[in-house]
Amino acid sequence: QVQLVESGGGSVQAGGSLRLSCVASGSIFSINAMGWYRQAPGKQREFVATSTSDGTINYEDSVEGRFTISIDNAKNTVYLQMNSLKFEDTAGYYCNARIRSRRGSIADYWGQGTQVTVSS
């Protein structure tokens, strides 16, 4: 039984910054990867950034250089620092984690999302 809880969303003006957090809790043995995805109204959910246990980090092209993903392993928490926000960044942001549970199974888990709204 694993839960992911996001926080840090809000409304900002273009050019502003936000820092999203996602905490994983429950029956966790290890976390193989954590990442962020977003979904704007009328669009499919899309990849934003991921960080894997071997240290590999990937960003979607439009956020490269503006967003930074980081993980605090001791706290089972992933962060997304978002700078120079643009109107087109407006979306619900969802945390994802690939987790090995204490019973041995590996599965992907999703948080409920946090809204980011950027005014132009």
Side-chain angles (χ1 to χ4, degrees):
Q1 194 138 330
V2 174
Q3 290 186 334
L4 304 180
V5 179
E6 302 101 330
S7 62
S11 181
V12 298
Q13 294 183 332
S17 298
L18 285 172
R19 181 177 169 89
L20 307 183
S21 300
C22 172
V23 181
S25 62
S27 185
I28 299 171
F29 181 81
S30 62
I31 299 176
N32 294 334
M34 300 188 82
W36 292 92
Y37 297 75
R38 65 187 180 187
Q39 187 168 20
K43 297 183 178 180
Q44 295 184 214
R45 187 170 298 184
E46 66 179 7
F47 158 81
V48 176
T50 54
S51 178
T52 63
S53 60
D54 68 356
T56 301
I57 295 175
N58 290 290
Y59 294 100
E60 192 272 328
D61 288 345
S62 70
V63 309
E64 183 88 40
R66 299 188 298 119
F67 292 8
T68 302
I69 187 171
S70 61
I71 294 177
D72 185 334
N73 291 314
K75 297 180 179 179
N76 289 336
T77 299
V78 61
Y79 304 94
L80 186 68
Q81 178 67 47
M82 304 184 294
N83 298 325
S84 301
L85 283 162
K86 304 174 180 179
F87 175 76
E88 51 263 43
D89 294 318
T90 297
Y93 282 71
Y94 297 85
C95 177
N96 172 264
R98 179 160 292 180
I99 292 173
R100 181 186 294 274
S101 71
R102 294 172 64 186
R103 62 186 177 91
S105 61
I106 299 175
D108 287 346
Y109 297 87
W110 291 92
Q112 294 298 306
T114 185
Q115 179 67 33
V116 172
T117 301
V118 184
S119 61
S120 59

